[in-house]
Amino acid sequence: MQFPFSKSYSDTEQQNLVKQAIDGNKESLNEIISYHQPFIYNVAWKTCHNPIDAQDLTQEVLIKVITKLGQFNFKSKFRTWLYRIVVNEFLQSKRRKSEKQFSDFDDYGERLDQVPNPELSIEEEISYQELSKEMQVQCMSGMIMCLNREQRLIFILGASFGIDHTLGADIFGVSPQNFRIKLHRARKDLFNYMNNKCGLVNKENPCRCPKKAKALKQMGVLDEEKMLFNIKTKVKVKDFVENNHEEALDDFTTTYTKLFQEHPVKDDFDKDTIIKELINNDKLSNYFKI
């Protein structure tokens, strides 16, 4: 998966592709979509908490980006222009079913407390490793859903993927100081919850992923054959994080931020089908004369 915020990213190359796409070059348009789509999908996946909703949102956003390509004036960086559209669409899109499952941290904590904490034998701890990982990623994904949309996106981009504050400010249309403040608040809200509830951050907390995984499997909620978050991949968020962003405002965020960066990113979401649907869309073809 390409990371559009890496130091190797070339905005000049992207702008050349945009010029060619506007002139009717289908391959250039395909290249633009192929480059940015995986990252957009993974941000959508972490924003929606659901792979199907993320796929729908990704396609909706890409259609909006493509139809607005002709409005790009080549006076700013294409990456900033593109992700402003992405972020605005994510913020303004209709509420997905998965979002309606979460209200706030208090409600989420109460529901988690209702799940039993059965004792585990050593053998069970080993046998529940994969399901425990699913529980961990799914639970932490749910925590992110307790943030409001803007906080959620700022945390995903600024903390998980490590986008620097200056670029983040440009994308969200705020000052760098305001972006840092918003990111700090999102970090603090997540940390306060995890410090009070999660055994991964505070060992004194009773909540343990393996125990919850065992209970939820017995309740028929978790199934090794139907895992959505603990996917078989070697690629994780941390593989894309670069040391080009400012340090967190507080040292206490380091440990739990790394936990979020251990989460997987997906590249098996039928991207070829989505790209073909976009490129071969008659309306878009007529719009770009391709």
Side-chain angles (χ1 to χ4, degrees):
M1 184 179 87
Q2 300 279 6
F3 184 50
F5 299 97
S6 68
K7 294 176 182 177
S8 61
Y9 170 86
S10 172
D11 208 73
T12 300
E13 291 180 5
Q14 290 289 301
Q15 290 198 27
N16 287 335
L17 289 172
V18 172
K19 290 177 182 177
Q20 295 165 15
I22 293 175
D23 288 339
N25 190 315
K26 183 182 290 189
E27 291 183 1
S28 296
L29 182 59
N30 184 19
E31 195 168 339
I32 294 170
I33 297 172
S34 298
Y35 185 94
H36 292 280
Q37 184 203 21
F39 182 73
I40 293 173
Y41 172 83
N42 277 285
V43 174
W45 180 37
K46 297 181 185 308
T47 300
C48 293
H49 190 71
N50 181 284
I52 304 301
D53 285 345
Q55 187 166 311
D56 291 341
L57 182 56
T58 299
Q59 186 158 334
E60 291 170 11
V61 168
L62 286 173
I63 290 174
K64 184 63 66 75
V65 168
I66 293 171
T67 54
K68 288 188 174 184
L69 270 184
Q71 300 175 23
F72 180 60
N73 58 18
F74 298 93
K75 294 180 180 179
S76 62
K77 289 188 176 181
F78 174 68
R79 176 180 62 185
T80 304
W81 177 87
L82 186 153
Y83 283 97
R84 276 181 183 169
I85 294 176
V86 171
V87 165
N88 286 335
E89 287 300 309
F90 279 13
L91 291 174
Q92 297 170 14
S93 65
K94 66 180 181 181
R95 280 176 59 83
R96 309 280 162 171
K97 181 180 179 180
S98 52
E99 286 185 284
K100 297 176 183 178
Q101 299 174 7
F102 304 89
S103 54
D104 54 44
F105 285 107
D106 290 337
D107 176 66
Y108 189 60
E110 289 176 6
R111 284 191 283 158
L112 194 60
D113 288 341
Q114 293 173 7
V115 179
N117 290 302
E119 293 301 319
L120 291 174
S121 65
I122 296 177
E123 292 77 11
E124 284 179 318
E125 283 197 30
I126 296 173
S127 66
Y128 279 103
Q129 276 186 341
E130 291 301 312
L131 209 56
S132 175
K133 183 65 176 178
E134 169 75 3
M135 174 67 201
Q136 177 185 326
V137 180
Q138 188 170 144
C139 184
M140 292 179 69
S141 177
M143 295 175 198
I144 294 179
M145 298 298 293
C146 294
L147 299 170
N148 65 47
R149 276 189 175 180
E150 184 184 56
Q151 282 186 312
R152 208 183 308 161
L153 279 167
I154 286 177
F155 180 82
I156 292 168
L157 293 174
S160 292
F161 283 102
I163 294 174
D164 71 77
H165 298 144
T166 301
L167 180 54
D170 286 342
I171 291 173
F172 282 86
V174 298
S175 68
Q177 181 182 7
N178 199 6
F179 182 85
R180 284 193 292 269
I181 291 172
K182 290 175 181 288
L183 176 57
H184 171 68
R185 288 173 179 167
R187 287 179 183 270
K188 192 171 183 180
D189 287 348
L190 278 167
F191 174 79
N192 287 340
Y193 174 82
M194 295 183 75
N195 193 49
N196 292 328
K197 288 286 185 182
C198 181
L200 294 171
V201 171
N202 187 344
K203 300 300 181 184
E204 295 182 3
N205 290 326
C207 185
R208 293 290 185 275
C209 296
K211 292 182 178 181
K212 298 293 186 185
K214 177 180 178 179
L216 290 173
K217 181 178 181 179
Q218 291 173 342
M219 296 163 62
V221 177
L222 285 183
D223 185 343
E224 288 94 340
E225 301 301 320
K226 298 179 181 178
M227 293 191 289
L228 296 178
F229 293 88
N230 185 20
I231 56 176
K232 294 181 179 179
T233 177
K234 296 180 181 179
V235 184
K236 298 181 180 180
V237 172
K238 67 178 183 179
D239 297 325
F240 300 99
V241 176
E242 297 182 345
N243 295 321
N244 62 351
H245 61 287
E246 298 178 34
E247 293 298 319
L249 297 179
D250 300 290
D251 291 336
F252 64 68
T253 61
T254 302
T255 299
Y256 87 91
T257 298
K258 288 182 178 178
L259 289 171
F260 282 100
Q261 291 177 348
E262 284 288 335
H263 291 183
V265 291
K266 296 182 72 172
D267 57 5
D268 59 346
F269 50 90
D270 201 18
K271 55 181 176 293
D272 291 336
T273 298
I274 295 178
I275 291 173
K276 288 176 182 176
E277 288 179 359
L278 289 172
I279 296 297
N280 294 322
N281 183 290
D282 291 338
K283 291 183 179 179
L284 294 182
S285 295
N286 292 333
Y287 184 85
F288 284 101
K289 300 178 182 178
I290 55 179

